[in-house]
Amino acid sequence: MAEKQDTEKGTKSRVGCNPVKEPLPVSMDHVLLALQETKEEREMRLRSLFNFFDKGNTGYLDYVEIEAGLSALQIPSEYKYARDLLLVCDANKDGKVDYQEFRRYMDDKELELYRIFQAIDVEHNGCILPEELYVALVKAGIEIDDEELARFVERVDKDNNGVITFEEWRDFLLLYPHEVTIENIYHYWERVCVVDIGEQTVIPEGISKQLHASRYLIAGAVAGATSRTATAPLDRLKVVLQVQTTDARIIPAIKALWKEGKLLAFFRGNGLNVIKVAPESAIRFYTYEMLKKFIADSKGGEKADIGTLDRLIAGGLAGAVAQTAIYPMDLVKTRLQTYECKGGKVPNLGAMSRDIWVKEGPKAFYRGLFPSLIGIIPYAGIDLAAYEKLKDMSRKTGSSCATRLRNNLGCSWCDLCLSFASG
């Protein structure tokens, strides 16, 4: 019975695989056979894709149109794929890509993709199995665990049957303008899965040992420092209004701050605000991931499978730990912002910290921590849990929408667009 189930499962997993066992050199006939596509159907697909980018119906593509098209497909622009794609397609170097240039690129790219597909598909059954992909990555010197491998396959495998057909492989990599090697494919997968985290404490899934998490924490810290500096005047004004015991009004408060120290008065305390971004994000992220792993291990499952309540708990506790760790800096920042200057002299950070230590004792640095934790625990918990829940929902919604759109339009290039836009 078990053997029968395994056989049925194996047969099912290879639906859509089109083995091509003819020897090299690879030709376009091999590609068409692998795709079960006629020359006319392929021509129609390429023309439809070109028209997708050519929104102005000018008959050529420029940098703006390529960038807009890639953005619509959610291919990250920060990696210069639009510029590189223009350069590799633009054979006559006139800054524009006509259809013939576009088609020549597609011919070369599909042949290149098929060669490496055949190299990975060691069984030559027309599909890349997860274990075949794993072996290829390991041979290329890339460390990858089972969970990350599963995410890789899931990102490329649009019909979720557990294997990667050449059509799925082509759709994922067709607009990648660089040389197709295992290393480049892996890093491209990581990049298209990355989102701008800003001050978000969850580093996106798909970030492995090859793209160190520290880089994203640094990026988040820089983004956070920039945003906090930009909003520092509003933060200072808010604190001043909060501590006023008389009738608090915005315009008089702004005038008083300007009189106190001109423009710099609006940025008092911002240095500490910026400094605490990186450690706060790092502590929250690592604590959150550690708690998710602990909860998953205690239930005998995987981190990705824990429920919303567990994420709420993990997020709330992670926020509490981070807030407790950086609270002394928060308190000193607030003291600096509310300190009354005498003679326009700005208080010294070191002197103020020493005064608090000597006059009020070490416990003073944690004064007001409890009310702060009461606020941060539900905030951090809801923030992280809602983020991951909505991300999961968007994946499911994107998958179902992709299926409906493919059925309605009945054109192959939709698969290419949606393979990037989903997930």
Side-chain angles (χ1 to χ4, degrees):
M1 181 67 178
E3 290 181 2
K4 183 179 179 182
Q5 288 177 341
D6 291 340
T7 302
E8 290 175 351
K9 181 180 179 181
T11 303
K12 181 181 178 181
S13 67
R14 288 162 176 75
V15 172
C17 300
N18 300 306
V20 179
K21 299 184 179 181
E22 296 183 35
L24 296 175
V26 171
S27 68
M28 190 54 66
D29 289 335
H30 293 87
V31 173
L32 293 172
L33 186 58
L35 294 172
Q36 294 291 287
E37 190 176 44
T38 66
K39 291 181 180 180
E40 292 74 18
E41 288 171 338
R42 180 174 183 271
E43 183 69 24
M44 186 181 300
R45 169 170 58 85
L46 296 183
R47 177 60 73 175
S48 296
L49 182 57
F50 183 84
N51 292 339
F52 170 77
F53 282 92
D54 184 19
K55 298 296 186 184
N57 295 319
T58 57
Y60 63 84
L61 309 179
D62 57 19
Y63 173 75
V64 173
E65 288 180 313
I66 293 175
E67 185 178 42
L70 294 182
S71 296
L73 301 177
Q74 297 185 2
I75 300 176
S77 58
E78 62 266 29
Y79 294 106
K80 302 180 181 178
Y81 290 137
R83 190 172 302 281
D84 291 345
L85 186 58
L86 174 63
L87 290 174
V88 76
C89 291
D90 185 17
N92 60 6
K93 307 303 177 186
D94 64 350
K96 300 176 183 178
V97 178
D98 61 29
Y99 178 69
Q100 292 305 318
E101 290 174 319
F102 182 79
R103 192 179 185 281
R104 278 195 295 271
Y105 164 80
M106 292 296 167
D107 290 346
D108 294 340
K109 181 58 69 174
E110 289 191 358
L111 287 170
E112 183 184 21
L113 292 175
Y114 187 72
R115 290 189 189 99
I116 195 167
F117 182 88
Q118 283 286 76
I120 299 173
D121 178 22
V122 293
E123 292 188 10
H124 298 296
N125 57 11
C127 290
I128 294 177
L129 306 176
E131 53 267 31
E132 291 175 328
L133 182 60
Y134 175 79
V135 170
L137 289 166
V138 170
K139 284 182 178 179
I142 296 173
E143 298 178 17
I144 186 169
D145 57 32
D146 292 342
E147 184 179 352
E148 193 176 17
L149 178 66
R151 289 199 298 267
F152 195 151
V153 174
E154 180 185 3
R155 184 67 174 82
V156 185
D157 176 26
K158 293 180 300 183
D159 58 7
N160 297 316
N161 66 349
V163 297
I164 300 172
T165 65
F166 178 62
E167 182 181 358
E168 293 167 336
W169 183 256
R170 176 208 66 192
D171 288 353
F172 180 63
L173 293 164
L174 190 59
L175 295 175
Y176 178 65
H178 303 145
E179 181 185 2
V180 180
T181 65
I182 291 295
E183 297 94 329
N184 285 348
I185 292 170
Y186 179 78
H187 293 313
Y188 177 66
W189 166 72
E190 289 189 309
R191 286 167 176 173
V192 298
C193 288
V194 170
V195 296
D196 180 13
I197 62 173
E199 292 187 65
Q200 178 58 258
T201 58
V202 178
I203 289 182
E205 294 180 5
I207 306 308
S208 72
K209 303 176 185 68
Q210 278 64 47
L211 283 180
H212 298 290
S214 60
R215 297 184 186 180
Y216 292 90
L217 289 173
I218 292 170
V222 172
T226 303
S227 64
R228 293 191 183 201
T229 300
T231 58
L234 295 175
D235 187 52
R236 177 79 204 281
L237 180 62
K238 177 200 72 174
V239 172
V240 168
L241 290 171
Q242 284 177 334
V243 298
Q244 283 187 359
T245 55
T246 57
D247 184 26
R249 290 183 295 171
I250 294 177
I251 300 302
I254 292 175
K255 290 181 179 179
L257 285 174
W258 183 263
K259 184 178 180 180
E260 176 188 300
K262 306 298 184 194
L263 185 63
L264 288 178
F266 289 90
F267 290 89
R268 193 199 297 174
N270 185 57
L272 269 179
N273 214 13
V274 167
I275 290 171
K276 72 186 183 72
V277 171
E280 183 179 15
S281 296
I283 293 168
R284 287 177 71 189
F285 164 66
Y286 283 112
T287 305
Y288 180 61
E289 292 300 315
M290 182 182 66
L291 288 171
K292 283 204 302 181
K293 187 176 186 305
F294 174 79
I295 293 172
D297 290 344
S298 66
K299 294 186 174 183
E302 298 291 336
K303 282 198 303 182
D305 298 328
I306 68 172
T308 302
L309 180 59
D310 293 328
R311 290 172 179 171
L312 273 170
I313 295 171
L317 291 176
V321 171
Q323 180 73 0
T324 302
I326 59 92
Y327 193 78
M329 286 190 284
D330 222 14
L331 181 131
V332 174
K333 181 207 77 172
T334 304
R335 293 282 186 97
L336 277 172
Q337 289 182 326
T338 57
Y339 186 87
E340 291 187 12
C341 292
K342 296 179 180 179
K345 186 178 179 181
V346 178
N348 180 274
L349 175 61
M352 174 165 285
S353 300
R354 282 195 302 272
D355 285 345
I356 295 174
W357 182 275
V358 173
K359 295 179 181 178
E360 303 177 49
K363 291 183 179 180
F365 286 100
Y366 286 93
R367 188 172 296 161
L369 175 62
F370 183 69
S372 180
L373 291 179
I374 292 176
I376 198 65
I377 288 175
Y379 164 78
I382 294 170
D383 177 36
L384 297 173
Y387 168 79
E388 294 206 27
K389 182 65 176 178
L390 290 172
K391 182 177 67 174
D392 292 342
M393 289 172 60
S394 69
R395 283 177 176 170
K396 295 175 182 177
T397 303
S399 177
S400 61
C401 288
T403 302
R404 287 197 300 271
L405 187 53
R406 282 198 297 270
N407 291 338
N408 290 338
L409 298 181
C411 55
S412 299
W413 72 269
C414 298
D415 293 340
L416 170 64
C417 302
L418 292 167
S419 69
F420 289 106
S422 63

